[in-house]
Short mmCIF file of all heavy atoms in Angstrom, two decimals:
data_model
loop_
_atom_site.label_atom_id
_atom_site.label_comp_id
_atom_site.label_asym_id
_atom_site.label_seq_id
_atom_site.Cartn_x
_atom_site.Cartn_y
_atom_site.Cartn_z
N GLY A 380 18.80 -10.26 14.21
CA GLY A 380 18.37 -9.89 15.56
C GLY A 380 19.47 -10.15 16.58
O GLY A 380 19.76 -9.31 17.44
N ASN A 381 20.09 -11.31 16.49
CA ASN A 381 21.16 -11.66 17.42
C ASN A 381 22.34 -10.71 17.32
O ASN A 381 22.90 -10.29 18.33
CB ASN A 381 21.63 -13.09 17.16
CG ASN A 381 20.91 -14.07 18.09
OD1 ASN A 381 20.64 -13.74 19.24
ND2 ASN A 381 20.61 -15.24 17.58
N LYS A 382 22.72 -10.40 16.07
CA LYS A 382 23.88 -9.52 15.88
C LYS A 382 23.57 -8.11 16.40
O LYS A 382 24.42 -7.47 17.02
CB LYS A 382 24.28 -9.44 14.41
CG LYS A 382 24.57 -10.77 13.76
CD LYS A 382 25.77 -11.47 14.36
CE LYS A 382 25.97 -12.83 13.72
NZ LYS A 382 26.85 -13.70 14.52
N PHE A 384 21.46 -7.35 18.69
CA PHE A 384 21.41 -7.46 20.15
C PHE A 384 22.82 -7.31 20.73
O PHE A 384 23.04 -6.57 21.69
CB PHE A 384 20.80 -8.81 20.52
CG PHE A 384 20.77 -9.09 21.99
CD1 PHE A 384 19.99 -8.32 22.85
CD2 PHE A 384 21.51 -10.14 22.53
CE1 PHE A 384 19.96 -8.58 24.21
CE2 PHE A 384 21.48 -10.40 23.89
CZ PHE A 384 20.71 -9.63 24.74
N LYS A 387 23.95 -3.75 20.48
CA LYS A 387 23.33 -2.91 21.49
C LYS A 387 24.02 -3.10 22.84
O LYS A 387 24.17 -2.16 23.63
CB LYS A 387 21.84 -3.23 21.61
CG LYS A 387 20.99 -2.38 20.66
CD LYS A 387 19.54 -2.80 20.72
CE LYS A 387 18.64 -1.72 21.26
NZ LYS A 387 17.22 -2.08 21.21
N GLY A 388 24.46 -4.31 23.10
CA GLY A 388 25.19 -4.60 24.33
C GLY A 388 26.49 -3.81 24.36
O GLY A 388 26.88 -3.25 25.40
N ASN A 391 25.77 -0.24 25.01
CA ASN A 391 25.45 -0.10 26.43
C ASN A 391 26.74 0.01 27.25
O ASN A 391 26.89 0.86 28.12
CB ASN A 391 24.64 -1.34 26.85
CG ASN A 391 24.29 -1.34 28.33
OD1 ASN A 391 25.19 -1.40 29.17
ND2 ASN A 391 23.00 -1.29 28.65
N GLU A 392 27.71 -0.83 26.88
CA GLU A 392 28.96 -0.84 27.63
C GLU A 392 29.76 0.44 27.37
O GLU A 392 30.36 1.01 28.30
CB GLU A 392 29.77 -2.07 27.24
CG GLU A 392 30.83 -2.39 28.28
CD GLU A 392 31.44 -3.75 28.09
OE1 GLU A 392 30.90 -4.54 27.28
OE2 GLU A 392 32.46 -4.02 28.74
N GLU B 10 25.56 -17.38 20.38
CA GLU B 10 26.15 -16.22 19.73
C GLU B 10 27.21 -15.65 20.66
O GLU B 10 26.87 -14.99 21.65
CB GLU B 10 25.09 -15.17 19.44
CG GLU B 10 24.19 -15.49 18.27
CD GLU B 10 24.92 -15.32 16.95
OE1 GLU B 10 25.80 -14.42 16.86
OE2 GLU B 10 24.64 -16.10 16.04
N ARG B 19 29.04 -9.47 30.50
CA ARG B 19 29.76 -8.29 30.98
C ARG B 19 28.82 -7.33 31.71
O ARG B 19 29.17 -6.76 32.74
CB ARG B 19 30.44 -7.58 29.81
CG ARG B 19 31.67 -8.33 29.32
CD ARG B 19 32.00 -7.94 27.89
NE ARG B 19 32.68 -6.66 27.84
CZ ARG B 19 34.00 -6.53 27.71
NH1 ARG B 19 34.75 -7.61 27.63
NH2 ARG B 19 34.55 -5.35 27.66
N LYS B 105 15.15 -10.10 22.44
CA LYS B 105 16.44 -9.42 22.37
C LYS B 105 16.33 -8.06 21.68
O LYS B 105 17.12 -7.17 21.96
CB LYS B 105 17.43 -10.29 21.59
CG LYS B 105 17.96 -11.49 22.38
CD LYS B 105 18.92 -12.30 21.52
CE LYS B 105 19.60 -13.39 22.33
NZ LYS B 105 20.43 -14.26 21.46
N ASN B 106 15.41 -7.96 20.74
CA ASN B 106 15.33 -6.72 19.97
C ASN B 106 14.00 -6.02 20.23
O ASN B 106 12.98 -6.40 19.68
CB ASN B 106 15.47 -7.02 18.48
CG ASN B 106 16.72 -7.82 18.18
OD1 ASN B 106 16.64 -9.02 17.92
ND2 ASN B 106 17.86 -7.19 18.24
N VAL B 110 14.40 0.31 23.36
CA VAL B 110 14.57 -0.20 24.72
C VAL B 110 15.98 -0.76 24.83
O VAL B 110 16.44 -1.48 23.95
CB VAL B 110 13.54 -1.32 25.03
CG1 VAL B 110 13.86 -1.98 26.37
CG2 VAL B 110 12.14 -0.75 25.02
N ASP B 111 16.69 -0.38 25.91
CA ASP B 111 17.99 -1.00 26.14
C ASP B 111 17.73 -2.30 26.89
O ASP B 111 17.51 -2.33 28.10
CB ASP B 111 18.88 -0.06 26.96
CG ASP B 111 20.31 -0.59 27.02
OD1 ASP B 111 20.47 -1.82 26.91
OD2 ASP B 111 21.24 0.21 27.19
N TYR B 113 19.54 -4.60 27.70
CA TYR B 113 20.53 -4.98 28.73
C TYR B 113 20.11 -4.44 30.10
O TYR B 113 20.22 -5.13 31.11
CB TYR B 113 21.92 -4.48 28.34
CG TYR B 113 22.45 -5.28 27.17
CD1 TYR B 113 22.09 -4.98 25.87
CD2 TYR B 113 23.29 -6.37 27.40
CE1 TYR B 113 22.53 -5.73 24.81
CE2 TYR B 113 23.75 -7.14 26.33
CZ TYR B 113 23.37 -6.81 25.04
OH TYR B 113 23.81 -7.56 24.00
N GLU B 114 19.60 -3.19 30.09
CA GLU B 114 19.12 -2.62 31.35
C GLU B 114 17.88 -3.37 31.81
O GLU B 114 17.70 -3.65 32.99
CB GLU B 114 18.84 -1.13 31.19
CG GLU B 114 20.08 -0.29 30.83
CD GLU B 114 21.24 -0.57 31.78
OE1 GLU B 114 21.05 -0.54 33.01
OE2 GLU B 114 22.36 -0.87 31.28
#
Side-chain angles (χ1 to χ4, degrees):
Chain A
N381 265 324
K382 304 295 177 197
F384 176 65
K387 270 175 115 175
N391 178 296
E392 199 167 349
Chain B
E10 284 287 327
R19 286 158 78 99
K105 285 179 173 175
N106 307 104
V110 172
D111 189 333
Y113 289 83
E114 298 309 310

